[in-house]
Amino acid sequence: MAERNGKAKYFNLMEALKKDIANGMIRPGDKIPSENVLSQQFGVSRHTVRKALSILEEEGLIAAQHGRGTFCIKRTRSGGSRNIAVITTYINDYIFPRLIQGIDDVMTEKGYSIILKNTYNSRKNEEKALEDIMTKDVEGLIIEPSKSEIFCRHIHQYEELDLKDIPYVFIQGTYPQLSSKPSITMDDVQGGYLITKYLLELGHRNIVGIFKIDDMQGDHRHKGYIKAFNEFGIPYDPERVVLYHTEDRRTKPCLMVKHFLDTGVPMDAIVCYNDQVALEVMQALSERGKKVPEDISITGYDNSLIAQNGPIPLTTIAHPKEQLGRMAAQLLLEKMNGVPDEESKIPRIIAPELIVRDSCRRRDGKG
């Protein structure tokens, strides 16, 4: 069998038809084009067409009706299991237990059990988790995508969920190719803007930014940081911005802050990607003899327990973790019950709130 892109012709045809079914171009009840039409359209033999159609029929996506042709058939979820799956990047990290609690509160009340998996923000682990979920009898899925700012290369697994009519809801980010799918996210652009604006209003001008670059939250918080500088008419200086990947999260932020101090880079405040990074940066500053907020102001993001109970209460952005989990669960229930997007009553974006504590000090001499 001749191949294109390393795949047999029948496989390419089968995948093309499956994609049309997944995205709704071919709907349940629609008639599949005849063998002759498909043969001409794809430039393959009728034997190749028959082989592709037989696979789709085996998978329960189409059915031949004698004397009428071949039709796309309605896909039914297994249903009745009362199980839903939740996939997060981490389970034990400081914000996730409360997020999962919010999901569990809603789902337990409705009689559902949760199958919980985590990926450690790894694409390979996400693929494995999704592959495992496919073998389980689940009625829906809530997922936090791993490295959501990077193009997804396992999009076929989400298409498979669509084919099996298993609804899914993204939390805290979406992949670029799946941005139209149901999701619950924070307005992180506005959050990054609010916290940077607060520092600018206090008179800070040499503000370092530290952002994780491989997820949507970090990218959007960085955009908010830039937006605040633009609003104040202050040039954005990329030399004062530290962008790091998941694999560097324990090392690069602190090492770069120490490097700025050692090389004399002017710095009177630091906007951190989250509270955890802020706490680690505080320790790095202390090791270089710098005090917070006397010498340098620090901000975090998430309003976690460490922001509230750390050595210096941290100015941060509220992250309503349990609310986010509850909203995601409620949205998934809507999708499982067939509620169309236009009729949904669940807001998809959570507005940020600035929480002011003791980690920042005015620099303009006004107070």
Side-chain angles (χ1 to χ4, degrees):
M1 177 75 67
E3 296 185 351
R4 177 171 58 84
N5 298 329
K7 296 180 180 179
K9 288 184 177 180
Y10 76 85
F11 187 86
N12 286 320
L13 173 57
M14 181 270 295
E15 287 285 285
L17 292 172
K18 183 183 283 189
K19 185 174 182 179
D20 285 346
I21 294 171
N23 62 27
M25 292 184 66
I26 299 176
R27 298 178 178 274
D30 288 351
K31 187 174 182 179
I32 306 299
S34 68
E35 289 183 6
N36 283 335
V37 171
L38 290 173
S39 177
Q40 293 175 10
Q41 182 179 348
F42 288 89
V44 296
S45 68
R46 291 183 63 183
H47 174 74
T48 297
V49 172
R50 281 194 292 272
K51 189 166 184 177
L53 294 178
S54 69
I55 295 173
L56 294 176
E57 190 164 14
E58 287 174 6
E59 293 185 5
L61 299 175
I62 63 174
Q65 298 183 16
H66 184 68
R68 295 188 64 223
T70 301
F71 294 82
C72 177
I73 61 177
K74 182 174 177 61
R75 303 174 295 283
T76 57
R77 294 196 298 271
S78 52
S81 71
R82 310 302 288 177
N83 290 326
I84 66 125
V86 176
I87 301 175
T88 62
T89 52
Y90 301 97
I91 292 177
N92 297 322
D93 250 21
Y94 67 112
I95 69 169
F96 291 97
R98 289 173 62 189
L99 186 151
I100 294 166
Q101 182 63 54
I103 296 172
D104 187 61
D105 287 346
V106 173
M107 287 302 184
T108 297
E109 182 182 344
K110 297 296 184 181
Y112 287 89
S113 298
I114 294 176
I115 299 171
L116 185 61
K117 293 184 173 292
N118 70 302
T119 66
Y120 297 101
N121 210 28
S122 160
R123 291 297 186 85
K124 288 185 178 179
N125 288 343
E126 181 177 307
E127 289 185 65
K128 291 177 182 177
L130 285 168
E131 185 177 333
D132 185 60
I133 288 301
M134 298 289 188
T135 68
K136 301 291 192 296
D137 189 9
V138 299
E139 297 186 46
L141 167 67
I142 296 173
I143 181 165
E144 182 195 22
S146 299
K147 298 183 178 178
S148 55
E149 195 57 24
I150 301 175
F151 205 71
C152 179
R153 288 188 285 185
H154 53 279
I155 200 75
H156 64 280
Q157 291 183 303
Y158 292 100
E159 293 173 346
E160 190 71 20
L161 288 170
D162 290 331
L163 285 168
K164 292 184 176 181
D165 202 23
I166 300 174
Y168 51 94
V169 170
F170 287 108
I171 51 173
Q172 307 213 104
T174 60
Y175 289 118
Q177 311 103 297
L178 297 170
S179 59
S180 64
K181 294 294 184 179
S183 64
I184 303 289
T185 59
M186 286 278 295
D187 187 347
D188 285 308
V189 173
Q190 182 68 4
Y193 164 78
L194 286 176
I195 208 154
T196 308
K197 178 186 175 186
Y198 174 70
L199 290 171
L200 290 165
E201 289 173 339
L202 290 179
H204 298 79
R205 292 298 180 266
N206 299 312
I207 305 174
V208 166
I210 301 176
F211 304 101
K212 190 145 77 77
I213 197 62
D214 55 15
D215 68 30
M216 180 183 289
Q217 299 103 297
D219 177 67
H220 284 191
R221 292 169 195 178
H222 182 205
K223 288 177 179 175
Y225 168 91
I226 296 171
K227 178 182 174 182
F229 275 94
N230 290 339
E231 186 176 280
F232 275 70
I234 300 171
Y236 166 74
D237 184 0
E239 296 301 318
R240 284 200 178 92
V241 175
V242 177
L243 302 176
Y244 68 95
H245 292 82
T246 297
E247 292 77 8
D248 304 323
R249 68 189 186 281
R250 300 297 185 194
T251 54
K252 187 174 180 179
C254 291
L255 288 175
M256 287 303 299
V257 166
K258 290 179 179 179
H259 173 72
F260 288 161
L261 291 172
D262 293 343
T263 56
V265 173
M267 177 170 52
D268 56 21
I270 305 176
V271 172
C272 295
Y273 167 76
N274 63 17
D275 297 340
Q276 198 165 41
V277 170
L279 191 67
E280 293 167 358
V281 166
M282 282 187 189
Q283 180 60 36
L285 291 172
S286 178
E287 291 171 6
R288 287 292 192 270
K290 297 294 183 180
K291 294 182 179 181
V292 176
E294 290 85 351
D295 297 319
I296 298 176
S297 296
I298 297 285
T299 66
Y301 205 108
D302 289 335
N303 194 30
S304 63
L305 290 176
I306 61 176
Q308 302 169 42
N309 303 321
I312 300 171
L314 190 64
T315 294
T316 186
I317 294 290
H319 186 295
K321 296 161 276 292
E322 289 185 36
Q323 178 190 354
L324 190 151
R326 287 193 297 269
M327 290 170 63
Q330 290 162 355
L331 182 57
L332 180 62
L333 287 170
E334 285 194 354
K335 297 297 103 183
M336 290 164 60
N337 291 324
V339 176
D341 285 349
E342 59 271 16
E343 295 180 17
S344 175
K345 297 179 181 178
I346 309 299
R348 307 302 175 87
I349 300 177
I350 300 175
E353 178 188 356
L354 177 67
I355 306 295
V356 176
R357 296 198 179 94
D358 302 334
S359 63
C360 301
R361 173 168 290 187
R362 186 171 289 279
R363 306 290 174 195
D364 57 8
K366 294 181 181 179

